[in-house]
Amino acid sequence: MHEFRIVHEVVPAGSSYSEVTMPDYSPAARARVALSYEACQLAETARRAVPIAPTELHADGTPAWALDIATDLLEATARYLEAVVVFTRLTGAHLDLPEGPTTTDWWRTHLLQDPLEAAQDLDDWLHHHTDEPLPPNPVSGPLA
């Protein structure tokens, strides 16, 4: 996977980039594209954590990869939040962040009531959101 870092700054005149003719997009439009990119990167990073490898549920399984993905997710989330703040400031909107959760977490209730169905829902989600070859039940299969 290629990693790109969107930098929110103007390219100085005289650089090699200044010779490229590009449409004149507003800073807010450019910031919104950067926000979309960071959201894409966050989603791709999160997607890596969805499948369950059969060895993970054994006593000798190593969950170290989960910590690596968690670190990657925190970094991707920070980049996404930074892009949101930049976009919000450039549009002149007021940034009002909530102090805590604002919605009921229906997913945790669903998971507690029917773990297999929740895992099967994740199987479906993963099959719709990846082009990589996957086993038929990448999340629910190892639960059996």
Side-chain angles (χ1 to χ4, degrees):
M1 175 170 63
H2 299 288
E3 291 196 23
F4 300 96
R5 181 74 170 111
I6 303 292
V7 179
H8 308 287
E9 61 185 36
V10 177
V11 178
S15 71
S16 60
Y17 296 111
S18 66
E19 297 173 8
V20 176
T21 304
M22 295 184 66
D24 188 22
Y25 294 110
S26 71
R30 292 173 190 266
R32 183 57 181 92
V33 174
L35 185 140
S36 293
Y37 172 78
E38 296 300 349
C40 179
Q41 292 298 102
L42 178 59
E44 283 298 310
T45 301
R47 186 186 54 75
R48 292 182 5 229
V50 177
I52 299 175
T55 57
E56 288 181 60
L57 301 179
H58 299 290
D60 59 348
T62 56
W65 67 268
L67 292 174
D68 291 339
I69 291 176
T71 300
D72 293 345
L73 279 169
L74 287 173
E75 291 170 359
T77 301
R79 289 190 308 271
Y80 176 74
L81 181 58
E82 177 186 347
V84 168
V85 169
V86 168
F87 174 68
T88 302
R89 287 181 179 160
L90 288 172
T91 61
H94 177 68
L95 189 62
D96 190 20
L97 297 175
E99 292 188 22
T102 57
T103 60
T104 304
D105 190 353
W106 65 270
W107 176 252
R108 291 188 194 282
T109 302
H110 178 53
L111 175 62
L112 292 172
Q113 291 175 349
D114 193 343
L116 182 59
E117 183 179 325
Q120 290 168 337
D121 290 345
L122 290 170
D123 289 338
D124 291 340
W125 181 89
L126 195 56
H127 281 288
H128 285 94
H129 290 88
T130 188
D131 293 330
E132 299 171 18
L134 295 170
N137 302 312
V139 180
S140 65
L143 298 179

